[in-house]
Amino acid sequence: MLSFSHFYSVTPKQNETIIVNENIQKLSQNETKSENNKQNFKKNISFSKDENLTKIFTDPKNKDETVALSTQTQNKQQKTQSDKNVQKEQTKIIYKSQQNPEKSKQELKIPEIKKEQISPSKDKIIIADTNVSKKPKFENNNTNKTEQENIIKPTITQEKQDSNISKEKPKQNQKESKKDSKQQKKDIKKHIKGEKPKLVIIIDDVATKEHVKMIQKTGLKLTPSFFPKTTASPNTPSLARDFQFYMIHLPLQAKFDKNPMPTTIKTDESYDSIDKKISQIKQDFKNVKYINNHTGSKFTSNQTAMDRLYKALNKYGFIFVDSRTSADTQVPIIAKKYNNPYISRDIFLDDSNELQNIKAQLDNAIAKAKKYGYAIAIAHPRKNTMQIINQNKDHIIKNVDVVYLNEIIKYYE
């Protein structure tokens, strides 16, 4: 019996030491595996010297993939670390059980690992925050229902307030813009009394000898506006010499123009490029002072582009006349900035090529000149337009004086 009891008292300690040794071996094996995994991961994501590393951070696809890899490795490292902690705790308890057998039952329990001990990665935190903000979860009890109502209701009311503010702002801006436009019209157009009304008729798109003859045939002081010299209109500088007064018809970018002219100035064009074009016009047309825009609905509605153009025009002594091809024209604002008079056309005579419509618009131009004392009309060298002007020459002379633009510039200053 003594030998058997002695054997029984010794075997548990031997078994426990064996278990401890096995656990220690497992720990060392796990450590070596984790180190190997780290090395393998480093090898997998290594980059060649020629590869552009900026793509990893600028390309959304590459960025997502690298983040996914990093989160996977972090999760693996966290799991291995937690396994190590558990195994270490188990070995400590086994050692303690050898010293205090009575407490072995309590201490042999595997300790619970709190969620707080494992710190989640940054990417997980962001995902969790967005999910919570979109769909808040509450338990099924009365107190949490009231909390849910208190949290959700303020957000809804805040959204309503924001939507109301966003609805009110455009209305205010529209009212302010209308007031500004009315004020601009009042400031720009002055009533001149005590003189015979004066009417300026600008003929745009002049580029050929035929156009020149059509204008001269009327016997009126019509103002020709010549295209700049290009391969399509190479003779405009020499044609302009036949006139005492003329203008330049400058092509500017339109919102809808499938075939723009090669000399068209675009909204994204640099100041140096614009300056070069305006300088060339000044060399080709030495005595010219006034420029109006051909098309230009996109350009004249862009403040930045108009600012660059005005800077160049002022440099070479030009005065800009707004053809008003856009209701959103920003020319009045830029003209005021450069202390230039804002000059704009009042009537288009031949938006329609119908004879009756052209005659009606001519009457509107005369009426406008009578109302304010002066007006500017724009037309084109077309057969029907010139026919109406020639047929109504006596009617025009009776009611207004047809003058050049420089004769009414004083009314705009």
Side-chain angles (χ1 to χ4, degrees), residues 274-291:
I274 295 170
D275 181 87
K276 188 177 179 180
K277 288 180 180 179
I278 302 301
S279 174
Q280 187 61 50
I281 290 170
K282 193 65 176 176
Q283 290 177 24
D284 294 335
F285 303 88
K286 293 180 181 179
N287 298 322
V288 73
K289 189 173 183 180
Y290 294 85
I291 285 182

Side-chain angles (χ1 to χ4, degrees), residues 181-194:
S181 62
K182 286 180 181 179
Q183 188 64 35
Q184 284 173 1
K185 285 179 182 178
K186 287 180 181 178
D187 293 340
I188 292 160
K189 209 71 178 173
K190 298 175 183 177
H191 289 266
I192 307 301
K193 295 181 180 180

Side-chain angles (χ1 to χ4, degrees), residues 169-185:
K169 280 183 179 179
K171 289 180 181 178
Q172 290 175 356
N173 291 332
Q174 287 174 3
K175 287 179 182 178
E176 288 175 0
S177 62
K178 284 180 181 178
K179 286 180 182 179
D180 291 340
S181 62
K182 286 180 181 179
Q183 188 64 35
Q184 284 173 1
K185 285 179 182 178

Side-chain angles (χ1 to χ4, degrees), residues 305-315 319-321 331 334-336 338 340-343:
M306 281 306 306
D307 190 274
R308 286 196 291 265
L309 177 61
Y310 254 78
K311 187 179 178 183
L313 292 175
N314 273 11
K315 181 179 176 181
I319 295 174
F320 186 78
V321 179
V331 180
I334 303 301
K336 188 176 181 181
Y338 284 88
N340 284 2
Y342 175 65
I343 307 169

Side-chain angles (χ1 to χ4, degrees), residues 116-360:
E116 293 175 356
Q117 291 176 356
I118 301 171
S119 59
S121 64
K122 291 181 180 178
D123 296 323
K124 285 186 177 180
I125 291 168
I126 294 165
I127 293 164
D129 291 341
T130 53
N131 290 333
V132 169
S133 63
K134 288 180 181 177
K135 294 181 181 180
K137 294 181 180 180
F138 299 95
E139 294 178 2
N140 294 324
N141 54 40
N142 294 327
T143 57
N144 286 329
K145 281 182 183 178
T146 56
E147 287 176 2
Q148 184 176 2
E149 289 174 358
N150 291 330
I151 291 168
I152 293 170
K153 280 180 181 178
T155 57
I156 293 168
T157 54
Q158 186 65 34
E159 286 175 0
K160 286 181 180 178
Q161 289 175 0
D162 293 338
S163 63
N164 290 332
I165 290 165
S166 63
K167 286 177 182 177
E168 288 173 1
K169 280 183 179 179
K171 289 180 181 178
Q172 290 175 356
N173 291 332
Q174 287 174 3
K175 287 179 182 178
E176 288 175 0
S177 62
K178 284 180 181 178
K179 286 180 182 179
D180 291 340
S181 62
K182 286 180 181 179
Q183 188 64 35
Q184 284 173 1
K185 285 179 182 178
K186 287 180 181 178
D187 293 340
I188 292 160
K189 209 71 178 173
K190 298 175 183 177
H191 289 266
I192 307 301
K193 295 181 180 180
E195 297 179 13
K196 190 175 180 179
K198 292 174 175 53
L199 178 64
V200 175
I201 301 176
I202 300 171
I203 307 299
D204 282 349
D205 300 351
V206 180
T208 66
K209 186 67 177 176
E210 185 183 357
H211 294 158
V212 169
K213 287 180 179 179
M214 291 172 74
I215 295 167
Q216 290 174 339
K217 188 179 177 180
T218 63
L220 298 172
K221 292 171 73 173
L222 304 183
T223 303
S225 189
F226 289 93
F227 278 126
K229 182 182 177 181
T230 62
T231 53
S233 55
N235 299 320
T236 50
S238 60
L239 292 172
R241 296 191 195 116
D242 292 338
F243 289 89
Q244 181 185 350
F245 181 87
Y246 62 92
M247 296 173 56
I248 297 300
H249 198 42
L250 184 65
L252 300 178
Q253 188 176 7
K255 289 180 182 177
F256 307 102
D257 190 0
K258 293 181 180 179
N259 297 308
M261 296 180 70
T263 55
T264 299
I265 300 176
K266 297 180 181 179
T267 54
D268 59 351
E269 200 160 333
S270 67
Y271 170 74
D272 291 337
S273 177
I274 295 170
D275 181 87
K276 188 177 179 180
K277 288 180 180 179
I278 302 301
S279 174
Q280 187 61 50
I281 290 170
K282 193 65 176 176
Q283 290 177 24
D284 294 335
F285 303 88
K286 293 180 181 179
N287 298 322
V288 73
K289 189 173 183 180
Y290 294 85
I291 285 182
N292 74 323
N293 55 295
H294 171 69
T295 64
S297 55
K298 185 175 182 179
F299 196 97
T300 56
S301 59
N302 187 310
Q303 278 194 35
T304 305
M306 281 306 306
D307 190 274
R308 286 196 291 265
L309 177 61
Y310 254 78
K311 187 179 178 183
L313 292 175
N314 273 11
K315 181 179 176 181
Y316 298 100
F318 283 106
I319 295 174
F320 186 78
V321 179
D322 189 2
S323 299
R324 290 192 67 85
T325 55
S326 172
D328 299 324
T329 179
Q330 301 297 305
V331 180
I333 297 167
I334 303 301
K336 188 176 181 181
K337 177 182 175 181
Y338 284 88
N339 296 317
N340 284 2
Y342 175 65
I343 307 169
S344 66
R345 65 94 192 158
D346 297 297
I347 299 290
F348 268 124
L349 295 185
D350 51 5
D351 273 344
S352 169
N353 199 37
E354 297 294 327
L355 293 172
Q356 291 179 351
N357 293 334
I358 297 168
K359 173 62 169 63

